[in-house]
Amino acid sequence: MASLSDSVKLPCGLVFPNRLVKAAMAEMLAGFQNIPTPSLINVYDQWAKGDWGAVLTGNVQVDVNHLGNPFDVALSGEYTDAETNKDLFEKYRKYAEVSQAHGTPTIAQLCHPGRQSPRPAGRRGVFASTIAPSPLPLDMGDGFVQRWLGWFAFPPPREMTQADIDTVTRQFVDAARLMADAGFSGIELHGAHGYLIDQFLNPKSNVRTDAYGGSAANRAKFVLDILQQTRAVVPSHFCIGIKFNSADHTSSSFEDTMTQIGLLADAGIDFIEISGGSYEDPKMFTAGQQQPQPEKSARTAAREAFFLEFAAAVRTRYPSLILMLTGGFRSRAGAHYALSQNACDLVGIGRPAAIDPHFSKLLLDDSIEESEAQLKLNKIPLPFWAKMIPLAAIGAGAESTYYTGQIQRIAKGLKTIVPL
C-alpha cells in the first residue's frame, strides 16, 4: 500500500517529498493593505518547519476590489515584471522564500470570489455589485430572515461582460506570473467553495447562453482559458493545480462533472484537489457534522474523508490524474484509509494544521502508535444568538473564525487552543 512518506512527482516535474499537504485556510493577516505582512510570514515560517509534502497558502485574491474577507492577500493592480513592480515583487519574494526555507514546496492559491464577496470586503464600495457569470444572487434560504441576511451580506451580482471576463482572466494570469517570479513552486486555481471559477463551472450559477454557458465544455471555458494563458507565461516546471468542487454535483450532472475534469486533465493540470461546498451549502466545514456518512467499515477512519466517494469515482475515470483529497482528516488511520481505497495521491490537512503547524511530523513518525497519531477536534459551540438564526453559513463561519484565530495565535507565537 502507498505510504504517507512516499514522494509524489507531478507532471510538471515538481516533487512533493511526502503525501501530506497543508491545505489552504483563511489567515486574515494581510491587514488593510492586503499584502503579505510580517505576521502572515511568521505563520508560514512555522508551517515550513512542519515536514509537509507541500504547503498551500490561503486565498491570494487576484483583484483587491473583490475579496472573500477584508484581510485577504490580494493584488492591487496589474503586475508587469519584477523590475517594474519592485515593491510588490519583494513582498511576495519574501513570502515565498520563508515558506520554502526548509525545502517544502509552497503553492499559492489564487482566487476570485465573484458573487461571494461580502459587502465590506474589497475596495469596490459597500453598495457596488459583485460580478458573476449570471446575475443570480446567493440563495441562503427561503425564509424572510435568510433572504434578508443574504442580501444584507452579499450584494446582488451583475452578469460579467466579455470585457469583464477578459479582465479577470488577465488578473489570474498576472497573479500567476508574480507567484512564479517570486519563487513559489506553483499555483492552485480555486475552483471550489462557490467562488468565481466554480460559479462558471456550475449550471446552478451559470445560465449563460454564450460561449461560456450551456454545455459542460462551455462552462469550463473560463478556467481552461486561464490555464492555457498561464501555461504560456510561467516556467515549464511551475505547478498549476485546481481545487474542484464535488458537493454541488448531483447524479444528473455527474457526467458533466466528469467531462469538465477530463478537459482539465487534457489541458495539462498538475493536480486536482477534491473538496466541496459553498457559502450556500458549506459542506467544506460541516459535511462530517450535518450529514454523517453511514459506516462502511469497522474502522472509524473510513468516515474521516468527507468527499472520498467522489474522489474514488474520479480515479476510476482518470487513473493518471494526481488527486488530492481534503476535508475531515484528523488521523494517520484516516489518511491511510483514503490511500488504501486508491482515492487519492495526496492528503490535504486543514484544521489540525491550524492547531499544530507540525502535525505532519506526528503522522509521519512510525515510532508513534497509530492510536496516538491523531488530533481530536470537537465541534465549535455556537453563541446563543447564532442558534436563533436559521442560516447554515453561521455555523460554518463560527468554525472558520475559530481556526483563523488559532492561525493568528501561531503568528504571535502563542499556544493554540484545542476545541474541547
Side-chain angles (χ1 to χ4, degrees):
M1 186 185 76
S3 168
L4 293 177
S5 60
D6 291 341
S7 63
V8 177
K9 185 175 182 179
L10 305 185
C12 66
L14 178 66
V15 176
F16 291 177
N18 64 65
R19 296 180 184 272
L20 295 174
V21 177
K22 196 290 290 180
M25 291 177 285
E27 314 99 347
M28 294 187 68
L29 287 169
F32 288 106
Q33 291 185 297
N34 305 109
I35 59 174
T37 59
S39 293
L40 181 72
I41 291 172
N42 285 345
V43 173
Y44 282 87
D45 176 54
Q46 288 301 311
W47 279 323
K49 298 171 182 175
D51 287 352
W52 298 96
V55 167
L56 282 169
T57 74
N59 281 335
V60 176
Q61 303 290 358
V62 300
D63 184 353
V64 75
N65 294 308
H66 299 269
L67 304 178
N69 72 67
F71 307 113
D72 278 338
V73 178
L75 269 68
S76 57
E78 292 187 33
Y79 173 74
T80 304
D81 54 49
E83 187 63 30
T84 305
N85 307 101
K86 288 182 180 179
D87 289 345
L88 185 66
F89 166 76
E90 182 56 31
K91 289 181 176 67
Y92 283 89
R93 185 202 64 76
K94 182 66 173 178
Y95 188 7
E97 179 183 61
V98 170
S99 300
Q100 301 179 127
H102 299 275
T104 297
T106 299
I107 311 297
Q109 181 174 261
L110 301 187
C111 184
H112 191 300
R115 66 178 185 172
Q116 286 190 168
S117 180
R119 288 188 186 273
R123 300 178 189 174
R124 67 183 183 277
V126 295
F127 297 109
S129 64
T130 52
I131 58 175
S134 301
L136 304 174
L138 285 172
D139 180 6
M140 307 302 284
D142 295 330
F144 172 77
V145 173
Q146 294 162 314
R147 286 186 281 112
W148 184 85
L149 286 173
W151 175 88
F152 181 80
F154 302 98
R158 64 174 177 82
E159 181 171 291
M160 293 172 70
T161 64
Q162 184 64 54
D164 292 325
I165 291 172
D166 293 343
T167 295
V168 175
T169 300
R170 190 201 71 240
Q171 289 171 331
F172 271 101
V173 176
D174 278 356
R177 284 194 299 111
L178 172 57
M179 299 306 126
D181 290 351
F184 283 98
S185 295
I187 60 165
E188 180 184 56
L189 301 172
H190 201 327
H193 299 176
Y195 292 127
L196 185 62
I197 291 175
D198 186 28
Q199 290 162 34
F200 270 93
L201 291 168
N202 193 329
K204 295 179 184 178
S205 50
N206 180 355
V207 296
R208 299 175 74 100
T209 57
D210 61 2
Y212 296 91
S215 69
N218 282 4
R219 297 197 308 273
K221 175 176 168 54
F222 177 61
V223 68
L224 291 171
D225 286 349
I226 292 171
L227 177 55
Q228 179 185 33
Q229 293 180 37
T230 300
R231 280 285 185 215
V233 299
V234 298
S236 60
H237 61 269
F238 189 74
C239 162
I240 304 178
I242 186 169
K243 182 178 287 185
F244 193 88
N245 229 11
S246 68
D248 282 349
H249 305 290
T250 63
S251 57
S252 62
S253 64
F254 182 77
E255 289 303 324
D256 278 3
T257 303
M258 290 296 146
T259 294
Q260 291 174 337
I261 291 174
L263 291 168
L264 289 163
D266 291 343
I269 203 75
D270 284 302
F271 72 89
I272 292 183
E273 178 185 3
I274 304 298
S275 187
S278 66
Y279 287 8
E280 293 176 326
D281 186 13
K283 288 186 175 70
M284 60 281 201
F285 296 114
T286 60
Q289 299 161 3
Q290 293 183 337
Q291 298 177 350
Q293 297 177 2
E295 189 165 350
K296 298 180 178 64
S297 166
R299 297 174 64 185
T300 304
R303 300 192 303 273
E304 282 197 20
F306 292 168
F307 310 111
L308 187 143
E309 290 183 7
F310 182 87
V314 175
R315 171 71 83 207
T316 300
R317 293 288 187 96
Y318 305 104
S320 63
L321 266 178
I322 301 295
L323 296 180
M324 174 177 165
L325 185 58
T326 300
F329 290 107
R330 303 286 182 269
S331 69
R332 182 195 295 155
H336 275 157
Y337 183 83
L339 291 176
S340 74
Q341 299 303 295
N342 196 30
C344 61
D345 305 282
L346 302 166
V347 175
I349 306 288
R351 291 177 223 175
I355 299 294
D356 178 4
H358 303 160
F359 183 65
S360 179
K361 292 182 178 181
L362 177 69
L363 301 192
L364 292 171
D365 188 349
D366 290 335
S367 69
I368 297 174
E369 292 292 330
E370 188 159 286
S371 61
E372 299 298 319
Q374 62 179 306
L375 181 57
K376 295 180 181 179
L377 301 176
N378 291 326
K379 185 177 178 180
I380 306 303
L382 290 177
F384 78 93
W385 59 266
K387 297 177 183 178
M388 302 171 63
I389 302 175
L391 206 62
I394 297 290
E399 290 278 334
S400 179
T401 299
Y402 183 87
Y403 288 100
T404 296
Q406 302 313 302
I407 292 171
Q408 293 171 355
R409 290 181 68 86
I410 295 172
K412 297 174 182 176
L414 300 175
K415 182 178 177 60
T416 56
I417 304 170
V418 179
L420 301 175

